[in-house]
Amino acid sequence: MGLEINTLAIIPIMAQQHHPRAIEATTKYFLTQATAAAMILFASTTNAWLMGEWEIHQLSHPLATTTVMLALALKLGLAPVHFWLPEVLQGLELTTGLILSTWQKLAPFALMIQVAPTINSSLLVAIGLLSTLVGGWGGLNQTQLRKILAYSSIAHLGWMVLILQFAPSLTLLSLSLYIIMTSSAFLTLKTNNALTINTLATSWTKSPTLAALAALVLLSLGGLPPLSGFMPKWLILQELTKQGLPLSATLAAMTALLSLYFYLRLCYALTLTIYPNTLTATAPWRLNFTMITLPL
């Protein structure tokens, strides 16, 4: 019931633009969330029917646990049921996209943390690894910043699900850091009024300080070592190795490089290039031609 209220509350906010793209995104979001909620209801009734137990902590039938996990993955936008998230986020304003990427993740995550002990650990690890891979791979060929942030969300949530059963405290640490970094990223992009990589490249002429801040935030989201985004990844890799899953840890680290690549590309566009359109703004001396008249 809480999940449905959560979904219905954000729908008017998403549709307030009255633009066909926003209405399309709202419809897609509503249909996926309603499907996921119906799956959760189906899983709980199935568990009650087969095992005679209604408690969320007592999900014991494999059919019920797998269905709940897939439903929550659909709600959060985890791979392999992630296809709605980039499309929906692309149709929204940056502020609404920020709410969708942060606040809307909290309710399903609270449910997932409670259900996690009953779920098959190999399923969780598989969903986590697939999400980090899809999140890295999907963002490589994008030019729209909202889609890049959507794929970034998929990858980060994959890291959280990967460690969920072994160390829930690490999952909560990753989630809180992800919310802080994503909020900073969306707000700096909104201040710069940047929606694509090309417009991002012109933003440093407006405010160099803001551009430097945006670059730091993006690199932190990518998990570059000196910055705070690296800490949860390092701790998760350490914990996975302790749990005797070195292969999963290696694969997760390799997929993190994919994410880091497109964040570095954004930073390159943001701080290290002079975009052709900015020549008049950055080098006014090129246009100051003075007529020199020579005496006859």
Side-chain angles (χ1 to χ4, degrees):
M1 184 72 99
L3 289 172
E4 281 304 284
I5 293 168
N6 191 31
T7 303
L8 291 172
I10 199 176
I11 279 171
I13 302 170
M14 292 169 77
Q16 68 183 344
Q17 275 182 297
H18 297 298
H19 188 274
R21 195 73 183 79
I23 303 298
E24 181 195 340
T26 310
T27 312
K28 283 178 180 174
Y29 182 74
F30 173 71
L31 289 173
T32 50
Q33 298 298 306
T35 308
M39 281 172 73
I40 291 170
L41 190 61
F42 169 72
S44 55
T45 47
T46 306
N47 194 66
W49 180 40
L50 294 171
M51 311 302 290
E53 185 57 69
W54 278 103
E55 280 235 5
I56 193 170
H57 300 289
Q58 304 292 332
L59 285 176
S60 46
H61 198 274
L63 176 63
T65 54
T66 310
T67 311
V68 160
M69 186 59 213
L70 284 174
L72 290 171
L74 182 61
K75 268 206 171 289
L76 288 164
L78 289 163
V81 281
H82 65 281
F83 297 100
W84 63 271
L85 182 59
E87 293 299 319
V88 167
L89 207 59
Q90 180 58 32
L92 302 177
E93 284 184 325
L94 284 168
T95 321
T96 322
L98 167 61
I99 298 169
L100 190 72
S101 300
T102 54
W103 175 257
Q104 291 298 105
K105 305 276 190 230
L106 294 178
F109 234 97
L111 211 56
M112 192 181 273
I113 286 171
Q114 292 179 72
V115 173
T118 62
I119 296 171
N120 184 5
S121 58
S122 54
L123 176 68
L124 277 174
V125 170
I127 287 177
L129 282 175
L130 193 60
S131 298
T132 56
L133 182 65
V134 165
W137 218 300
L140 289 180
N141 64 341
Q142 298 296 332
T143 55
Q144 296 286 336
L145 295 175
R146 284 168 293 182
K147 277 194 176 179
I148 286 176
L149 284 167
Y151 281 111
S152 151
S153 167
I154 295 166
H156 278 89
L157 288 169
W159 279 89
M160 293 172 214
V161 169
L162 196 58
I163 201 67
L164 184 57
Q165 222 168 28
F166 308 115
S169 53
L170 276 183
T171 299
L172 290 173
L173 172 72
S174 302
L175 183 64
S176 36
L177 273 170
Y178 162 74
I179 286 173
I180 293 165
M181 292 186 297
T182 305
S183 306
S184 311
F186 269 102
L187 292 171
T188 46
L189 292 179
K190 187 175 171 58
T191 316
N192 281 329
N193 201 18
L195 294 176
T196 62
I197 295 180
N198 284 355
T199 48
L200 193 67
T202 62
S203 62
W204 69 278
T205 54
K206 301 170 199 167
S207 168
T209 318
L210 204 60
L213 179 67
L216 277 174
V217 167
L218 289 169
L219 286 174
S220 188
L221 267 171
L224 204 66
L227 303 164
S228 55
F230 174 65
M231 181 179 65
K233 290 188 176 178
W234 182 27
L235 292 171
I236 286 169
L237 291 175
Q238 191 179 16
E239 185 61 35
L240 282 172
T241 315
K242 279 182 189 172
Q243 295 290 338
L245 295 167
L247 184 62
S248 301
T250 311
L251 287 171
M254 296 293 276
T255 54
L257 293 175
L258 289 170
S259 300
L260 186 58
Y261 175 77
F262 64 75
Y263 284 118
L264 283 170
R265 193 180 66 177
L266 289 183
C267 290
Y268 183 79
L270 186 64
T271 54
L272 300 174
T273 53
I274 295 182
Y275 197 64
N277 294 354
T278 63
L279 280 179
T280 51
T282 53
W285 51 269
R286 289 172 187 257
L287 303 174
N288 290 343
F289 295 112
T290 51
M291 295 297 289
I292 300 170
T293 51
L294 294 170
L296 294 169

